[in-house]
Amino acid sequence: MTVRALAVTVSTRAAGGVYEDRSGPLLAELLREWGCQVDGPRVIPDGTAVLTVLKQAVEDRYDVVVTSGGTGLTPTDQTPEMTKAVLEREVPGIAEAIRQRGSVATAILSRGLAGTAGGTLIVNLPGSTGGVREGMAVLGPVLSHAISQINGGDHPRPPAPPRD
């Protein structure tokens, strides 16, 4: 199964050309390493642009959209609010595991969400390259199973033992 993925960098400064996006290219590379067909990274400012991109991605039937950035505590960090407006069902275990995986104390300050809208899994990662690496270390191993379940797949079952 080929997983169609969209990588999105949420950074008002990177979108404005103040600095180069480093987390988005890394995110796209890691998604490819997990076997995804990747579009992006798309670099957008925080705020309503996030809502627009997520709604369009669901309409375009991406299997997964992973955002990087906009999950902190500053007044301009609005990615979780924009994501929540799109989600139909939350998958809190993914977001919790990403925060727990963080190797820096400030990882617990991320307000990133994970959940589904239509047939699309949406996951918010922190904006740092370390946060992207750690987040993908959590998401990567469960990604194909999550996509399978979203599309009606069942849990994998071990083969039945032979009968005498």
Side-chain angles (χ1 to χ4, degrees), residues 54 65-67 71 79-80 83 98 110-114 122-126:
L54 293 178
V65 179
V66 184
T67 67
T71 63
T79 298
T83 301
I98 290 168
S110 173
R111 300 179 308 114
L113 300 175
I122 301 171
V123 179
N124 302 148
L125 299 181

Side-chain angles (χ1 to χ4, degrees), residues 36-143:
C36 297
Q37 174 191 330
V38 182
D39 289 335
R42 293 191 190 157
V43 182
I44 60 171
D46 210 333
T48 57
V50 176
L51 184 65
T52 301
V53 165
L54 293 178
K55 284 182 176 181
Q56 186 64 54
V58 172
E59 187 176 307
D60 291 344
R61 298 177 186 247
Y62 278 94
D63 295 306
V64 63
V65 179
V66 184
T67 67
S68 169
T71 63
L73 300 178
T74 72
T76 60
D77 287 327
Q78 299 175 24
T79 298
E81 288 75 16
M82 298 299 115
T83 301
K84 189 170 189 143
V86 176
L87 294 180
E88 295 165 358
R89 299 188 306 166
E90 287 194 39
V91 184
I94 293 173
E96 292 163 6
I98 290 168
R99 281 187 278 279
Q100 289 175 351
R101 178 72 179 242
S103 62
V104 295
T106 55
I108 63 171
L109 299 179
S110 173
R111 300 179 308 114
L113 300 175
T116 63
T120 303
L121 176 64
I122 301 171
V123 179
N124 302 148
L125 299 181
S128 66
T129 55
V132 167
R133 281 187 202 285
E134 292 165 354
M136 283 304 299
V138 169
L139 180 60
V142 300
L143 185 56

Side-chain angles (χ1 to χ4, degrees), residues 17-28:
V18 174
Y19 63 75
E20 181 183 351
D21 171 30
R22 294 183 336 161
S23 64
L26 175 61
L27 174 58

